[in-house]
PDB file of all heavy atoms in Angstrom:
ATOM      1  N   LEU A1009     -18.297   5.459  -5.874  1.00 93.00           N
ATOM      2  CA  LEU A1009     -17.849   5.968  -7.211  1.00 93.00           C
ATOM      3  C   LEU A1009     -16.783   5.193  -7.876  1.00 93.00           C
ATOM      4  O   LEU A1009     -16.829   4.887  -9.108  1.00 93.00           O
ATOM      5  CB  LEU A1009     -17.540   7.504  -7.197  1.00 93.00           C
ATOM      6  CG  LEU A1009     -18.752   8.443  -6.980  1.00 93.00           C
ATOM      7  CD1 LEU A1009     -18.222   9.785  -6.700  1.00 93.00           C
ATOM      8  CD2 LEU A1009     -19.657   8.338  -8.214  1.00 93.00           C
ATOM      9  N   SER A1024     -17.298  -4.935 -25.567  1.00 85.00           N
ATOM     10  CA  SER A1024     -16.517  -4.846 -26.787  1.00 85.00           C
ATOM     11  C   SER A1024     -15.829  -6.054 -27.310  1.00 85.00           C
ATOM     12  O   SER A1024     -15.975  -6.375 -28.472  1.00 85.00           O
ATOM     13  CB  SER A1024     -15.426  -3.747 -26.544  1.00 85.00           C
ATOM     14  OG  SER A1024     -16.007  -2.457 -26.249  1.00 85.00           O
ATOM     15  N   GLY A1060     -12.458  11.187  -2.288  1.00 80.00           N
ATOM     16  CA  GLY A1060     -11.917  10.497  -1.112  1.00 80.00           C
ATOM     17  C   GLY A1060     -10.548  10.982  -0.691  1.00 80.00           C
ATOM     18  O   GLY A1060      -9.981  10.487   0.258  1.00 80.00           O
ATOM     19  N   GLU A1063      -6.269  11.233  -4.696  1.00 61.00           N
ATOM     20  CA  GLU A1063      -5.721  11.641  -5.930  1.00 61.00           C
ATOM     21  C   GLU A1063      -4.204  12.110  -5.926  1.00 61.00           C
ATOM     22  O   GLU A1063      -3.714  12.359  -6.926  1.00 61.00           O
ATOM     23  CB  GLU A1063      -6.557  12.707  -6.647  1.00 61.00           C
ATOM     24  CG  GLU A1063      -6.373  14.146  -6.131  1.00 61.00           C
ATOM     25  CD  GLU A1063      -6.878  14.398  -4.759  1.00 61.00           C
ATOM     26  OE1 GLU A1063      -7.553  13.552  -4.153  1.00 61.00           O
ATOM     27  OE2 GLU A1063      -6.664  15.533  -4.239  1.00 61.00           O
ATOM     28  N   SER A1087      24.173  25.769  -8.628  1.00 52.00           N
ATOM     29  CA  SER A1087      24.276  24.846  -9.815  1.00 52.00           C
ATOM     30  C   SER A1087      25.630  24.922 -10.414  1.00 52.00           C
ATOM     31  O   SER A1087      25.851  24.602 -11.653  1.00 52.00           O
ATOM     32  CB  SER A1087      23.177  25.173 -10.867  1.00 52.00           C
ATOM     33  OG  SER A1087      23.356  26.452 -11.198  1.00 52.00           O
TER      34      SER A1087
END
Side-chain angles (χ1 to χ4, degrees):
L1009 285 172
S1024 295
E1063 81 283 357
S1087 62

